[in-house]
Amino acid sequence: MTDETSKPAAPPAEPTTPVVLPPSDITKEITSAAQSQIFKPVRPEVRPHAFVVMPFGKKKGGDGSLYDFNAIYKFLIKPALDEAGFEPFRADEETTSGDILTDMFQELLLADLCLCDLSIDNANVYYELGIRHAFRKRGVVHIQAGRAYMPFDIFNVRTLPYHITAEGVPDPAFIKSDIQAISRMTKDTWMSDRDAIHSPIFNLLSGLKEPSQKMLRTPLATGFWREYKEWREKVTVAQRLKRIGNILLLTEEIRNPLIKEEAIGEAGKALANLGRHELALTQYRKGLEVNSESILFRRQEAFHLNRIGRSEEAIIKLESLLSEYPNDSEAISYLGRIYKEMWAAPWSKIKDKKLRVKTAFKSYHWLIKAADIYIKGFRIDLNNYYPGVNALTLCSIAVYLADKFDDKKDPDPDITRIRGELQELRGALVFALESKTYDENADYWSLVSLAELFVLVADNVSSVSRAYRKALTASRRNLADLNSSLKQLEMLQSLGLRSEFVQAGIDTISDEIHRINSEGDEQIVDDRSPKLIRDKYKWKGFLFSGYMVDFPGKEMCAFPAAEESKIRHEIHKKLEALGAQVEDRAFLGGLSAGSEIIFAEVCAEMGLHVKVFLPLPEQAYIRRFVSIAGDSWVDRFYKIRNHPLVDDIYQIESVGSPKEGDDPYERNNRWMLYSTLKYGVDNVLLIALWDGKTAQAKDRDVRLVNHMIELMRDMGGRIEQINPAKYTSKFVDVASPTPAEDLKPAAPNDDVKQPARAHKPVEKTQRLRKK
């Protein structure tokens, strides 16, 4: 719908040679037209949400004409919305239990766009349209078929006509043009100026304010919010287990963008807490695709741009945000942080202490700018302690440096001003923060702000240690938060400011980080983590995707069993060439008979830890992907699965069942890839046993390898190919390494019983690593 006012539009001109089909062929033609709109991306897309308001089933109009609204939705409206880039939804598509009326209201009030079919005078449709007009100022499209006029109250709102047959279904002669017309109108409405008004009520009442989406949400819509609740439970578990892949996959799979906006915010926060700022940035930018006006997403986009070293972009984003919301204390604090880092950059890497401190003074103009920004943020919101404590810290540093290097006879007026503000700032913070020590619900940042305050003002060292230990009880063992606090202390330490008090804080936090790391199997490393963390290992991740061994009945033969030794040698040689070490990790999307089992065996021989992601429960997986190639492969499956260096995790247990229509094997590829991203995409590469066959091949084996390659390309990762095609022709024989003794396949057995899952040796969690 556009803003223009017009009389009811006349139907489009008839084609010169309309196509007339017998009734038996109409459905085939409609179905073909609808299916022609389908396009399957390499991963789920984030699309705006369109709620369709229309009657259900077969209904008659005022003149007795028939309308099959289910066919109209299936073959016309849904394909048109798909083509326009929307996620279409109609109330009768809800399959979860709940109050259908309440859930319908949530859709009406929160959907990005409502498409209303006004072909007949249906009371429910007009009631729902009235609700949308009353609460939302934009995002409504009207369509109709067969009407000569529209009711008086909406006659001046543009309504797009479409064509139906005497049976009440979309007319095959016009379906393509009608789909395009509805799609175009929907896209034009969505892409119109964000301040454009589509509701006649908001047009008449110019002073009427649209309620925020938060005000329009109700927890009574249990069916509507069930997907989000289930997602949150799974992501909470994934956060505690530090499983980035689970978080990314589960968030990507939420289909309702109204829920997705909430989920993206939580996922971005979780990824930031795990130290992956580049992944958090990607999440928040996806959030901006869903809601470009979100202050949270805009703010976090700038924050994470800065954390990955793109400070100039971050400043532009924050200044743009603050031009619209000048009193956003959190955005102001983020801007202060950027200028603080700009001040610290020139001197922080200087090894000589005297030169380092002198250089810090020479760039104090940036220090003062950062301090002033923090002071502004604190004065706007005195309950936001983060900018207050940072302002006090930077002001204290400025005075400390000025006492060492500033001209005593002609002091800098900004330093003089800051000296005058220090006492007032200190007093305000002490009064506000000390009360937090008695609040059992106080969060980490409130308590650690008090500890940082004590570093600057305390008279004895023990009070600093006590304050930091108190803060640790609220940290939830969040390494990202602890690392941030540690970096602040390292900055003070490098300048020699109150060294004994600073060291007490460093010792307390470092001990906690060490305890957390000693309990885990591995540490996620952030490039901008404190030196304490950066000195730890940064492991590489090797993904693998490859063909199954050829077996009778396989659609496409790509891996001759007779050439296994050569393929094994190529895999071993490739890993050696890529510098694989025992501290690295290998990832597999299964243990199918063929190259996947071989890759796992080679990695175990080399001492690499292997993580296997299985798309099906164990027995079903063996039946479909292992035993089909022979009993010896079943024995090899169990032997490598029970190896102490091999972990196996199952899709349904970890991330639940796939959504309707989602391929569980392609989902498994995404899950595996996302799980490796904690190493950083530049430290992950894919080894593919692939002969160049494309995804159009019918063979599932070929299709899934190709899908994995496309995912890796889309992520910007590196791919190393091993081409099995050369093994079917000439190949120079090599002395191939043989499997380790305990991994050799057992003799064939025609009556293989799948053994009970063996207990994995305790050495699995006590691996020796290179130091």
Side-chain angles (χ1 to χ4, degrees), residues 488-522:
Q488 180 86 337
L489 290 167
E490 286 181 349
M491 179 185 69
L492 298 176
Q493 182 187 51
S494 65
L495 295 173
L497 178 63
R498 289 177 64 87
S499 299
E500 187 179 2
F501 297 89
V502 170
Q503 191 61 50
I506 288 176
D507 290 343
T508 305
I509 293 182
S510 297
D511 287 346
E512 181 69 9
I513 291 175
H514 177 73
R515 276 192 294 272
I516 295 172
N517 287 340
S518 64
E519 295 173 5
D521 175 61
E522 54 194 74

Side-chain angles (χ1 to χ4, degrees), residues 176 278 369 419:
K176 186 174 181 179
E278 75 286 357
K369 182 176 180 65
R419 285 183 190 275

Side-chain angles (χ1 to χ4, degrees), residues 545-611:
S545 184
Y547 299 141
M548 292 179 65
V549 68
D550 295 339
F551 54 84
K554 193 173 188 298
E555 291 184 20
M556 187 174 294
C557 296
F559 175 7
E563 307 296 345
E564 175 182 337
S565 62
K566 297 172 183 177
I567 289 174
R568 176 182 292 274
H569 173 76
E570 286 290 299
I571 291 172
H572 192 283
K573 186 171 67 173
K574 183 71 72 175
L575 285 168
E576 282 189 333
L578 294 170
Q581 302 292 329
V582 294
E583 63 265 18
D584 295 332
R585 297 290 183 267
F587 300 86
L588 282 160
L591 280 175
S592 61
S595 62
E596 288 180 335
I597 285 180
I598 294 171
F599 182 81
E601 291 172 345
V602 172
C603 288
E605 293 167 16
M606 298 178 69
L608 273 69
H609 182 115
V610 181
K611 182 163 283 188

Side-chain angles (χ1 to χ4, degrees), residues 227-366:
E227 184 183 14
Y228 174 69
K229 291 177 181 177
E230 292 172 352
W231 172 89
R232 184 157 195 157
E233 289 175 2
K234 292 173 185 172
V235 166
T236 300
V237 173
Q239 285 180 262
R240 291 176 182 171
L241 297 176
K242 301 177 185 176
R243 292 181 176 172
I244 286 179
N246 294 25
I247 296 171
L248 290 173
L249 182 74
L250 290 167
T251 303
E252 177 182 72
E253 290 181 340
I254 290 182
R255 294 180 175 177
N256 185 340
L258 310 175
I259 301 171
K260 198 174 190 77
E261 184 176 340
E262 299 286 323
I264 284 173
E266 293 289 331
K269 183 179 178 181
L271 293 166
N273 288 340
L274 292 173
R276 300 280 24 139
H277 299 286
E278 75 286 357
L279 299 180
L281 174 62
T282 300
Q283 284 298 307
Y284 287 120
R285 284 187 161 170
K286 287 180 180 178
L288 287 170
E289 293 176 12
V290 177
N291 180 5
S292 61
E293 302 301 312
S294 170
I295 297 176
L296 171 66
F297 293 160
R298 293 173 66 186
R299 192 192 293 138
Q300 291 300 321
E301 179 191 25
F303 176 83
H304 292 290
L305 278 169
N306 180 55
R307 289 307 302 268
I308 63 174
R310 294 159 63 179
S311 57
E312 292 299 328
E313 290 179 68
I315 290 173
I316 292 171
K317 299 283 186 183
L318 288 171
E319 288 179 343
S320 174
L321 178 60
L322 288 169
S323 68
E324 299 176 49
Y325 305 97
N327 293 326
D328 187 346
S329 177
E330 194 165 350
I332 291 171
S333 299
Y334 289 170
L335 189 60
R337 178 179 183 140
I338 295 174
Y339 284 114
K340 179 180 77 172
E341 292 177 357
M342 289 174 66
W343 161 70
W347 57 264
S348 59
K349 296 181 180 179
I350 298 175
K351 294 184 178 180
D352 182 80
K353 182 178 179 181
K354 289 184 179 180
L355 179 59
R356 182 167 64 241
V357 176
K358 180 70 174 177
T359 306
F361 173 73
K362 288 181 177 180
S363 58
Y364 77 88
H365 49 286
W366 290 114

Side-chain angles (χ1 to χ4, degrees), residues 642-656:
N642 290 326
H643 193 282
L645 288 175
V646 177
D647 282 329
D648 51 339
I649 54 177
Y650 292 82
Q651 187 181 120
I652 295 176
E653 292 177 10
S654 297
V655 290

Side-chain angles (χ1 to χ4, degrees), residues 48-108:
H49 191 67
F51 182 57
V52 179
V53 178
M54 67 185 303
F56 303 152
K58 294 182 179 180
K59 299 285 191 301
K60 288 188 176 181
D63 60 357
S65 55
L66 182 65
Y67 295 82
D68 187 342
F69 286 107
N70 290 352
I72 291 168
Y73 175 69
K74 181 178 181 181
F75 299 124
L76 176 65
I77 295 176
K78 192 169 184 177
L81 291 172
D82 278 330
E83 185 176 292
F86 282 80
E87 183 75 35
F89 182 79
R90 198 170 72 155
D92 62 330
E93 293 181 314
E94 178 58 68
T95 58
T96 58
S97 59
D99 182 348
I100 188 171
L101 183 62
T102 309
D103 292 343
M104 179 272 292
F105 279 130
Q106 282 288 258
E107 288 281 352
L108 269 177

